[in-house]
Amino acid sequence: MIMAKLIIFSAPSGAGKSTLIRYLLSQELNIRFSISATSRKPRGEEKDGIEYYFLTPEEFRRRIANNEFLEYEEVYKDKFYGTLKREVDRILAEGINVVFDVDCIGGLNIKKVYGNRALTVFVMPPSVEALRKRLEKRATDAPAVIENRLAKAEYEMSFAPQFDVIIHNDDYDQAKAEVLKLVTDFIDN
Ligand code: ADP
Ligand code: 5GP
């Protein structure tokens, strides 16, 4: 029996992870998105149980105490994000590959647990200035939130060498093609 695999995407906010993951999920691949839990509020059109499981900070802490997370991080001050063990186990048990959108530390921690069954992919933006433009254009975050995210970008980029693969998301069509080939090859082998 072929074991289902894990594909982990990390990048600074605005680099294009969600866009590339959405593209992958639209392809005829046997993959499903791991819905994380977070204590941040929904933004834009986000719905509970689709993009995230939105929890109160109290509920999030309760689940930490209950050992329900495969990994979790306080990605931004007072904003917790984490992968629920149950979410991942449920998908893998169905023989479906799992794709993750997690921060760098979370991504590397999942790799530690699953080893060669997991592929870590770092999405590299052309520059921090390009990130700023993308986040401003996306227009889902307040200016202070954008500054906060940009301040963390250089730090996150310093983790790139620890990832299995770096995808440069400059030209979107090229990045899409690269990601599709990469994930197809990983799943098939
Ligand atoms: P992340 O999930 O990494 O925070 P998103 O996927 O939301 O980033 O992308 C941030 C913004 O940048 C979105 O508005 C998206 O449409 C845009 N974007 C993604 N890839 C590119 C690209 N290659 N060139 C220009 N804009 C892009
Ligand atoms: P956003 O608020 O833009 O949705 O996500 C902010 C950051 O949190 C992104 O870097 C995203 O990858 C990360 N993130 C989302 N879910 C998880 C998770 O389950 N665990 C960890 N460690 N990071 C996550």
Side-chain angles (χ1 to χ4, degrees), residues 13-25:
S13 182
K17 293 181 298 293
S18 318
T19 310
L20 287 169
I21 290 173
R22 227 175 291 129
Y23 165 70
L24 273 180
L25 293 169

Side-chain angles (χ1 to χ4, degrees), residues 17 36 40 43 52 71 73 81-83 101-103 149:
K17 293 181 298 293
S36 294
R40 82 151 164 77
R43 85 183 161 216
Y52 283 105
E71 61 77 34
E73 294 292 324
Y81 294 79
T83 307
D101 175 340
V102 293
D103 86 322
R149 286 170 182 249

